[in-house]
């Protein structure tokens, strides 16, 4: 079984883990999250108390990869009603109950599609994805059969990445601050704007060099100021192909 290492246990990292663990990829996946404890992945973080919108493309992914979670998504989220989206304002205090969602009037210049989409708080999205990972693992343990679609997903907390190196056999080793080492044929950096993987690839003083490091500048994060809002947007610009 091929092994994949995913650095970062947020929504992107967990979604990537599910996709890579399922056919036709069928990687055995290890997710490394820097916050302590595997349960910390789903812990409510008031600094990230925003909502995710799962649109038609997101729903297509759910049905393709984890169709059994679609009903849970509907139960835990809000969908637009009568042409007006329903928004839940999440309080900063995790002990304060989430108030009932309210209808929000959009500008006349905003056009709503007829396709269904759902708004779900970030921590509930994480809970849903972790549950899907655990259910897949339980199904694999129960059947112990090669005919069961999918491979295992192991989520480990307290793993801050220090460096990565490529091996002669084509694999990549991930070294963590606590001395642990994880090796796989694929490493996915899903560790956000201040990605330790990206910084490591761009470090010209590192002991090991590779073609990845020579192209690191192509993947650098660029910050642009939006003239419309005066806010800064953070974007990662990928090269062609």
């Amino acid at each position: 079984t091929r092994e994949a290492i995913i650095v970062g246990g947020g929504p992107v990292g967990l979604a990537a883990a599910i996709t890579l663990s399922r056919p036709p990829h069928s990687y055995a996946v290890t997710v490394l999250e820097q916050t302590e404890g595997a349960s910390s992945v789903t812990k409510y973080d008031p600094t990230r108390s925003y909502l995710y919108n799962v649109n038609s493309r997101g729903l297509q992914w759910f049905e393709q990869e984890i169709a059994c979670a679609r009903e849970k998504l509907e139960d835990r989220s809000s969908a637009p009603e009568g042409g007006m989206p329903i928004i839940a304002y999440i309080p900063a205090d995790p002990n304060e109950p989430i108030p009932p969602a309210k209808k929000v009037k959009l500008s006349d210049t905003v056009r709503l599609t007829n396709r269904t989409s759902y708004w779900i708080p970030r921590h509930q999205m994480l809970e849903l994805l972790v549950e899907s990972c655990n259910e897949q693992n339980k199904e694999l343990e129960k059947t112990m059969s090669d005919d069961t679609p999918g491979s295992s997903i192991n989520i480990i907390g307290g793993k801050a990445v220090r460096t990565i190196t490529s091996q002669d056999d084509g694999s990549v080793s991930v070294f963590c601050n606590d001395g642990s080492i994880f090796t796989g044929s694929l490493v996915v950096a899903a560790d956000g704007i201040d990605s330790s993987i990206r910084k490591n690839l761009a470090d010209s003083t590192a002991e090991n060099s590779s073609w990845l490091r020579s192209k690191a500048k192509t993947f650098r994060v660029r910050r642009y100021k939006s003239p419309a809002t005066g806010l800064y947007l953070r974007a990662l610009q990928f090269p062609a192909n």
Side-chain angles (χ1 to χ4, degrees):
T1 302
R2 298 180 300 174
E3 296 187 2
I5 311 299
I6 296 180
V7 181
V12 171
L14 294 177
I18 292 171
T19 296
L20 289 173
S21 70
R22 305 286 295 174
H25 314 291
S26 299
Y27 282 91
V29 180
T30 300
V31 179
L32 305 179
E33 168 58 32
Q34 66 176 350
T35 52
E36 198 68 39
S39 61
S40 64
V41 171
T42 59
K43 185 178 180 181
Y44 177 80
D45 182 356
T47 67
R48 297 180 177 180
S49 58
Y50 40 78
L51 299 170
Y52 277 99
N53 175 243
V54 183
N55 56 19
S56 57
R57 185 174 63 173
L59 293 175
Q60 182 180 10
W61 177 84
F62 265 91
E63 298 199 357
Q64 177 180 329
E65 303 295 350
I66 45 175
C68 59
R70 170 68 184 269
E71 185 175 345
K72 293 181 181 179
L73 175 66
E74 295 177 3
D75 291 339
R76 302 179 192 185
S77 60
S78 299
E81 295 180 0
M84 295 183 69
I86 306 298
I87 302 295
Y89 290 92
I90 312 300
D93 184 357
N95 297 317
E96 184 179 341
I98 298 178
K102 297 180 180 180
K103 289 186 177 181
V104 178
K105 184 178 181 180
L106 298 177
S107 166
D108 293 337
T109 59
V110 179
R111 295 181 180 179
L112 293 176
T113 66
N114 293 325
R115 297 179 179 179
T116 301
S117 64
Y118 295 93
W119 294 92
I120 182 170
R122 181 182 186 274
H123 66 287
Q124 290 188 7
M125 171 65 96
L126 288 169
E127 289 172 357
L128 183 59
L129 294 175
V130 169
E131 287 175 14
S132 300
C133 293
N134 292 337
E135 288 171 2
Q136 178 167 309
N137 290 341
K138 289 180 181 178
E139 189 65 25
L140 288 168
E141 292 176 0
K142 183 171 63 178
T143 59
M144 295 296 290
S145 170
D146 294 335
D147 297 330
T148 303
S151 299
S152 62
I153 302 173
N154 186 22
I155 304 172
I156 308 176
K159 298 296 180 183
V161 173
R162 185 179 76 252
T163 185
I164 61 173
T165 60
S166 55
Q167 307 299 328
D168 293 338
D169 60 0
S171 62
V172 180
S173 293
V174 177
F175 297 81
C176 298
N177 288 340
D178 62 1
S180 56
I181 304 173
F182 300 86
T183 300
S185 56
L186 173 67
V187 173
V188 178
D191 49 346
I193 187 72
D194 295 315
S195 169
S196 59
I197 300 296
R198 190 183 300 116
K199 288 180 180 179
N200 182 261
L201 292 178
D203 184 7
S204 59
T205 63
E207 296 179 1
N208 296 290
S209 60
S210 67
W211 69 271
L212 286 173
R213 183 164 292 114
S214 68
K215 297 180 180 292
K217 289 184 178 180
T218 310
F219 294 93
R220 70 183 183 275
V221 175
R222 300 182 182 183
R223 291 175 171 84
Y224 299 93
K225 185 175 182 179
S226 167
T229 62
L231 301 176
Y232 283 95
L233 303 179
R234 294 176 174 178
L236 175 61
Q237 188 177 52
F238 288 92
N241 302 321

